[in-house]
Amino acid sequence: MFHIPKPLNKGDTVAITAPSSGVPQAMHPRLDLVLAHLRNQGYRVIEGQCLRDNHQHVSASKALRTKELMDFLLDPQVDAILPPWGGEIGMDLLDALDYDQLAKVRPKWLVGHSDISTLLNALTSKLGWCTAHTTNLMQMVPTESEPLTASALMPLSLASGQSFTQHASSHYQLKGLNFSEFPQQGLQLGPKSQWKVLGQADEVECRGHLFGGCLDILIHLAGTEYFDINRFEQRSQGQGMILYLENAELSAPAMFRALQGLKYRGFFRHLNGLLIGRNAAPSHDPTFNDQQILTQLFADAPFPVIYDADIGHLPPNMTLLNGVLAVVKVSRANTSLTQHL
């Protein structure tokens, strides 16, 4: 089974720390803006020490980042932890966290995507905590009007037994503005968004517990205790799994190898569905795009493969709660994802 943190409501405390990359000084105005926005929404904000600096891809030493994250996770007054964004090498904390201590306290929301999915999956794999793969804090500005982004934290306010439905975005951002030059700017929506289904089906539906994150990172954790598909399947108690993955920087051949490696390790053996986010990596070979890659790997898959979904580094992002039971419906007329807490 999975453990859902208590609802996050006005008056609750959110802690801000950067377990991976920190925020350089040029982007402090943006950080101040999003923190003020959290306060204006009624949250009490605690700012950590591992946040407003970035050296060699991290906000502070491993020891300091580990201690601060552990302190916030163990603090009964903290209800959620919001890193500013992802980064590069957050996985160096995985072997330093004290999971035995964490197993004794109530779960709390950890929120974000990109490198943060490293930690999300560790907490879900080892402790069964539901975690939130969604818009990063630094994208949560008060001027944002895109629905998925503006409501990213709303699902965290729901209690066990409740559900919520999100619909596919109409457009997505191909390239955003620099936060240091445009601290108040929201998403720069451009191309039209359309979720696609591999094969000839006009519409598909799948149901299962959500699990996944950034492919670039998870290929290095697959089969370890920090991204354990077998343990996750056991926790799902026969209700099935929907795995979601998104590519940030892998080239087309590297993406193919990554997915093929997961296939060899049995990660797709017992799925009810596979969601692939919009591919953020530049493509230099039009003859080897996502459709060709997925067709070679999953043409005979017994589950639906859905791609170009609202997941990852070409926002907006749906809020996907790892461990929660979800129903995905894709058709030409409507695309929706409902999650049951």
Side-chain angles (χ1 to χ4, degrees), residues 135-290:
T135 300
N136 282 320
L137 174 64
M138 288 289 275
Q139 291 176 309
M140 299 181 187
V141 289
T143 56
E144 187 56 70
S145 59
E146 192 285 315
L148 291 174
T149 308
S151 63
L153 296 182
M154 181 281 294
L156 309 189
S157 68
L158 302 179
S160 180
Q162 293 184 290
S163 62
F164 66 101
T165 298
Q166 301 165 99
H167 295 277
S169 64
S170 61
H171 296 76
Y172 67 94
Q173 175 176 279
L174 190 60
K175 186 176 182 180
L177 298 175
N178 189 295
F179 289 166
S180 61
E181 297 178 19
F182 302 94
Q184 300 184 35
Q185 190 61 58
L187 296 183
Q188 303 294 292
L189 298 179
K192 289 185 177 181
S193 173
Q194 182 182 3
W195 291 31
K196 301 180 179 70
V197 179
L198 192 67
Q200 303 300 316
D202 289 332
E203 58 183 71
V204 297
E205 178 177 331
C206 57
R207 177 186 181 95
H209 289 265
L210 291 168
F211 197 34
C214 183
L215 179 62
D216 311 47
I217 298 158
L218 297 183
I219 55 171
H220 301 293
L221 298 177
T224 72
E225 59 192 299
Y226 308 115
F227 185 41
D228 189 339
I229 197 78
N230 295 320
R231 184 71 182 277
F232 188 89
E233 182 184 13
Q234 293 172 6
R235 292 188 186 277
S236 299
Q237 298 181 329
Q239 293 183 302
M241 300 176 289
I242 297 176
L243 180 66
Y244 66 91
L245 299 167
E246 58 94 7
N247 178 33
E249 298 177 341
L250 299 175
S251 67
M255 178 179 172
F256 180 90
R257 290 192 298 267
L259 292 172
Q260 182 73 78
L262 291 179
K263 190 175 183 180
Y264 286 150
R265 281 173 273 181
F267 267 68
F268 309 119
R269 191 172 300 148
H270 301 296
L271 295 186
N272 289 352
L274 176 62
L275 298 183
I276 303 292
R278 280 185 290 269
N279 194 341
S283 176
H284 303 292
D285 184 356
T287 67
F288 199 49
N289 58 26
D290 284 12

Side-chain angles (χ1 to χ4, degrees), residues 29 33 44 56 62 67 76-77 94 107 116 129 131 138 145 205 210-211 261 265 283 313 318 338:
L33 184 67
R44 179 172 176 260
Q56 294 183 343
K62 176 179 178 177
K67 183 180 186 306
Q77 301 303 313
L94 296 183
I116 301 306
W129 289 15
T131 52
M138 288 289 275
S145 59
E205 178 177 331
L210 291 168
F211 197 34
R265 281 173 273 181
S283 176
H313 288 73
M318 285 187 167
T338 300

Side-chain angles (χ1 to χ4, degrees), residues 2-62:
F2 298 97
H3 309 293
I4 300 173
K6 82 174 188 66
L8 182 67
N9 295 310
K10 291 183 179 180
D12 286 343
T13 299
V14 296
I16 316 300
T17 184
S20 185
S21 292
V23 182
Q25 185 173 4
M27 295 188 185
H28 286 182
R30 174 77 171 203
L31 177 61
D32 292 335
L33 184 67
V34 298
L35 295 182
H37 185 41
L38 284 176
R39 294 186 178 98
N40 290 337
Q41 293 176 81
Y43 300 114
R44 179 172 176 260
V45 176
I46 297 176
E47 184 176 323
Q49 297 299 309
C50 303
L51 180 63
R52 292 180 178 266
D53 196 10
N54 194 56
H55 179 64
Q56 294 183 343
H57 302 290
V58 291
S59 63
S61 69
K62 176 179 178 177

